[in-house]
Amino acid sequence: VVEEVDGKKVDNLRELIAAIEQGTGEFVTFRGANRQEYVLDRAKAAAAREGILRTYRIPADRSPDLQAP
């Protein structure tokens, strides 16, 4: 369970998405309930997104209720 993104507490998927999209640093850091950190290169993750969705036949990176209006 992710509790923080870039040091900001998140309580739900909408807040998690906002924290990721509003981040400006080179890396995005996720901290779990066990206090373990996971760090991704923001540019590499963004570049890989479409390929991952296509490879695994995932229609979108989030459900319709979490997509921007």
Side-chain angles (χ1 to χ4, degrees):
V1 175
V2 175
E3 291 189 343
E4 295 179 11
V5 175
D6 292 333
K8 180 181 178 188
K9 185 177 182 320
V10 293
D11 293 317
N12 55 55
L13 286 175
R14 192 170 306 280
E15 290 179 7
L16 181 127
I17 291 167
I20 293 168
E21 291 181 344
Q22 293 169 3
T24 58
E26 182 178 356
F27 300 97
V28 59
T29 302
F30 301 93
R31 183 176 298 210
N34 61 359
R35 308 308 294 162
Q36 188 161 355
E37 289 188 348
Y38 304 90
V39 181
L40 297 177
D41 181 298
R42 194 178 298 275
K44 288 181 180 179
R49 179 179 32 234
E50 291 305 318
I52 292 168
L53 295 174
R54 190 173 38 258
T55 297
Y56 296 101
R57 298 182 180 146
I58 302 169
D61 68 348
R62 64 193 79 174
S63 60
D65 63 313
L66 295 173
Q67 293 176 358

